[in-house]
Amino acid sequence: MLFRQMNYFIKVVECNSFTEAAEECFISQSAISQQIQALEAEIGVQLLIRENRKFTLTPAGNYFYTQSLMLIDEVERVKKETKRISKKEEKIIRIGYLKNFGLLELQQTILEFSEIHPEFDLQSMSGNHETLYDYLRFEDADLVINDQRRALSDAYVNFHLCTVYSYVEISSISPLSKLETVTMENLKRVPCILIATPEQQEIEQDYHQNTLGFHGNFIFAENLENARLLVAANKGFLPIEGLDNVMQAGRTIRRIPLVRNNEQIQRKFFAFWKKEKDTEIIREFAEVLKSKFIDNGLK
């Protein structure tokens, strides 16, 4: 009974009306009023101050309302988890993403997908390109968001998400920050800051040096926040992909297009998953993710 009365109380507060709350709960106004009075009697405190057809919450009523919201949410979670366990289904999607790629689209996707499919537990993990490839290869992840560094394999679904432009983030006190675009030649005497764990440093340096063409010294940071602190201190530049307006950090960091042969360098990003795990739910997640990139101006 208390659980039902809590739901009635929440609805009355949200509607700010006994009449509207009663309509939404499909009971009479007198019935919902009686339920609230019974709730107050059971708890032994006044929750509402009634004034003609209006009411206000007492301090105790405000506390009971906020706590009830959390309790109802927890009860719903327990009910869903109980149903999942009873069906002996493990509804988990494990998602890997690049450490140095923006999280906005992924966050938006997880929010929307969770609203559509609350029965799924979305678990995320970050890493560099090779780490994500290993996550997928050894089935530690169901889907990874990664850049294309090798020929696309027939063993995987190669779902194109977007093609993004390459930039460098550089301290506003660096002379290079005055340029409208930069080239590899401009950057050859400036340390390149890469995001990598100690185990990944050699692989990341080799790729950026011998495949992308960055020259000079390399500095390593373990996450994007630390890398940007190094940039702000003018310790080097950070190669990054995305939109030119994602981060213009005012007076500390500038994001400048990276060009080659007078054209801005582009890189392709994909969602990858094994063909044997090509399920409708994985494809739906990838489609929602792609739509977020499109909404944010990436195609």
Side-chain angles (χ1 to χ4, degrees):
M1 179 63 74
L2 180 60
F3 182 69
R4 182 182 300 172
Q5 291 169 340
M6 289 171 67
N7 275 300
Y8 288 151
F9 182 74
I10 289 171
K11 188 59 66 176
V12 167
V13 174
E14 289 178 345
C15 294
N16 196 31
S17 165
F18 279 88
T19 302
E20 291 181 19
E23 290 176 355
E24 292 199 16
C25 294
F26 302 103
I27 63 174
S28 67
Q29 180 180 339
S30 60
I32 201 169
S33 180
Q34 289 170 7
Q35 289 295 325
I36 301 304
Q37 290 174 359
L39 174 63
E40 291 177 315
E42 181 172 345
I43 299 174
V45 298
Q46 185 178 12
L47 301 176
L48 301 174
I49 299 174
R50 298 163 178 80
E51 298 174 355
N52 297 322
R53 294 186 179 182
K54 297 181 180 180
F55 65 84
T56 57
L57 286 171
T58 65
N62 185 63
Y63 173 80
F64 186 80
Y65 170 69
T66 56
Q67 294 300 311
S68 294
L69 287 174
M70 291 187 287
L71 285 171
I72 296 295
D73 183 69
E74 179 65 14
V75 168
E76 289 301 316
R77 188 196 66 76
V78 170
K79 285 166 59 179
K80 289 174 184 176
E81 182 66 10
T82 302
K83 289 180 181 179
R84 185 191 68 79
I85 293 172
S86 70
K87 294 177 181 179
K88 297 182 180 179
E89 294 177 354
E90 188 180 29
K91 293 191 173 183
I92 298 174
I93 301 178
R94 298 162 300 171
I95 305 151
Y97 63 92
L98 279 173
K99 281 187 174 182
N100 63 335
F101 198 74
L103 288 176
L104 176 61
E105 292 81 11
L106 180 57
Q107 291 170 347
Q108 292 171 333
T109 301
I110 289 175
L111 175 62
E112 180 173 322
F113 192 86
S114 296
E115 290 178 342
I116 299 171
H117 297 287
E119 72 276 16
F120 278 88
D121 179 16
L122 302 181
Q123 300 176 357
S124 60
M125 60 198 82
S126 65
N128 292 81
H129 178 93
E130 295 302 321
T131 304
L132 294 178
Y133 176 67
D134 286 340
Y135 285 160
L136 203 56
R137 192 157 56 102
F138 297 116
E139 300 190 354
D140 294 317
D142 301 303
L143 174 150
V144 299
I145 304 161
N146 214 344
D147 58 341
Q148 183 186 1
R149 294 191 182 182
R150 49 169 62 90
L152 298 177
S153 170
D154 291 337
Y156 301 93
V157 176
N158 308 297
F159 187 88
H160 180 250
L161 291 172
C162 61
T163 300
V164 299
Y165 289 105
S166 294
Y167 296 82
V168 298
E169 291 185 353
I170 198 158
S171 172
S172 60
I173 64 176
S174 167
L176 293 178
S177 68
K178 308 298 187 295
L179 300 178
E180 293 301 317
T181 62
V182 291
T183 64
M184 299 293 187
E185 182 67 21
N186 297 141
L187 298 168
K188 68 180 182 180
R189 294 184 178 84
V190 182
C192 177
I193 301 168
L194 299 179
I195 301 170
T197 63
E199 297 79 17
Q200 300 161 342
Q201 290 177 5
E202 185 177 348
I203 294 172
E204 287 299 308
Q205 179 172 333
D206 178 75
Y207 175 74
H208 283 80
Q209 192 171 54
N210 298 317
T211 302
L212 298 184
F214 289 100
H215 300 289
N217 297 326
F218 289 86
I219 301 174
F220 297 95
E222 289 210 3
N223 55 57
L224 186 58
E225 291 77 14
N226 289 341
R228 282 179 168 153
L229 287 175
L230 291 171
V231 172
N234 200 25
K235 300 297 184 182
F237 70 90
L238 173 67
I240 199 160
E241 287 77 36
L243 295 171
D244 59 359
N245 61 353
V246 170
M247 180 188 176
Q248 292 290 351
R251 300 170 185 173
T252 58
I253 294 175
R254 275 204 66 206
R255 179 174 283 193
I256 306 173
L258 179 63
V259 302
R260 180 185 288 128
N261 299 325
N262 296 320
E263 291 188 1
Q264 190 168 3
I265 297 172
Q266 298 183 24
R267 292 173 69 183
K268 292 183 178 180
F269 283 79
F270 289 79
F272 297 101
W273 62 91
K274 284 190 171 183
K275 281 194 172 178
E276 57 263 34
K277 291 195 173 184
D278 187 18
T279 63
E280 183 179 341
I281 202 71
I282 292 290
R283 281 194 172 268
E284 182 178 347
F285 183 89
E287 290 284 0
V288 174
L289 179 60
K290 183 170 185 174
S291 73
K292 299 308 172 187
F293 283 110
I294 293 173
D295 291 345
N296 292 335
L298 295 170
K299 297 181 180 181

